[in-house]
Amino acid sequence: MIPETQRLYLREMNQADFAALSRILQDEETMYAYNGAFSDEETQEWLDRQLARYRRYGFGLWAVILRETDEMIGQCGITVQPWKDREVLEVGYLLRRDCWHKGFATEAARACRDYAFTRLDAEAVYSIIRDTNTASQKVAQRNGMVKTESWTKHYRGVDMPHYLFCVKRQALMREPASDIK
């Protein structure tokens, strides 16, 4: 039931993905929106958090696998995230730097958006994006989302302004759904 696209498939991460996940989370440039690269311990905590989400919700950030090579090139999925005084269903995505600007993030994010609408019966989905992360903001816009709010989050010792992007199910009735299997 996890989303698939023409070039990608998504699957639950597992401990065997630690090295591929580290390549993403321990890259300074990739992790600029998180105020720097993660340590081995922080990477393991990140992976453990996804495994707990799968058990609790049945979804989380999934491994993004390139069909052509069968390698993990990133992560994308749905998480429950705090936003001000409420929780929202967020489409999150983070890809290896060598896979940027190839449309993979948009492709995976659209499949996850459609999953939230078709499998989770969500009325709206969101992406929470740091104000300086223009590349992720463009992915959100290509995912049909519009910026609706802003809020400053405190993370890793830094105040970080973030934007909330949103798309509602009704707004997508004209667009064909992704291949969700």
Side-chain angles (χ1 to χ4, degrees), residues 11 21 101 117 132 139 141-142 158-159 169 178-179:
R11 62 162 173 76
L21 186 60
H101 309 295
F117 290 142
T132 57
V139 171
Q141 291 166 341
R142 286 190 292 269
V158 177
D159 287 334
R169 182 195 328 221
S178 301
D179 297 331

Side-chain angles (χ1 to χ4, degrees), residues 69-80:
T69 62
D70 208 35
E71 67 181 312
M72 181 178 167
I73 63 166
Q75 55 186 336
C76 186
I78 310 285
T79 58
V80 176

Side-chain angles (χ1 to χ4, degrees), residues 133-148:
N133 191 346
T134 56
S136 285
Q137 292 174 34
K138 289 177 184 176
V139 171
Q141 291 166 341
R142 286 190 292 269
N143 202 9
M145 296 182 169
V146 295
K147 184 169 48 172
T148 59

Side-chain angles (χ1 to χ4, degrees), residues 15-156:
Q15 192 59 46
D17 294 316
F18 182 83
L21 186 60
S22 293
R23 183 171 174 194
I24 300 161
L25 299 181
Q26 295 181 353
D27 179 79
E28 283 290 336
E29 190 173 341
T30 300
M31 296 299 289
Y32 77 93
Y34 289 83
N35 202 38
F38 283 12
S39 66
D40 281 347
E41 183 178 294
E42 290 169 315
T43 300
Q44 185 61 55
E45 289 171 3
W46 183 276
L47 179 57
D48 291 343
R49 197 164 34 255
Q50 303 323 309
L51 301 177
R53 285 176 171 148
Y54 304 151
R55 289 188 301 273
R56 180 172 181 189
Y57 299 110
F59 57 85
L61 291 176
W62 294 302
V64 176
I65 309 297
L66 184 61
R67 286 183 185 278
E68 186 177 312
T69 62
D70 208 35
E71 67 181 312
M72 181 178 167
I73 63 166
Q75 55 186 336
C76 186
I78 310 285
T79 58
V80 176
Q81 293 291 330
W83 179 262
K84 296 183 180 179
D85 59 350
R86 67 188 193 271
E87 290 185 328
V88 298
L89 277 183
E90 182 190 27
V91 174
Y93 37 88
L94 187 60
L95 272 65
R96 265 187 356 219
R97 192 164 20 111
D98 66 320
C99 295
W100 291 358
H101 309 295
K102 298 179 180 179
F104 296 134
T106 300
E107 191 172 323
R110 283 181 178 162
C112 290
R113 172 203 66 197
D114 294 347
Y115 178 94
F117 290 142
T118 60
R119 301 286 188 215
L120 304 178
D121 201 30
E123 291 298 321
V125 293
Y126 302 84
S127 285
I128 301 169
I129 304 170
R130 192 169 177 184
D131 66 334
T132 57
N133 191 346
T134 56
S136 285
Q137 292 174 34
K138 289 177 184 176
V139 171
Q141 291 166 341
R142 286 190 292 269
N143 202 9
M145 296 182 169
V146 295
K147 184 169 48 172
T148 59
E149 297 179 44
S150 61
W151 184 37
T152 300
K153 297 173 104 180
H154 189 77
Y155 182 72
R156 298 180 90 187

Side-chain angles (χ1 to χ4, degrees), residues 5-20:
T5 71
Q6 185 175 2
R7 299 184 298 167
L8 309 168
Y9 68 92
L10 283 66
R11 62 162 173 76
E12 289 187 359
M13 286 188 269
N14 58 61
Q15 192 59 46
D17 294 316
F18 182 83

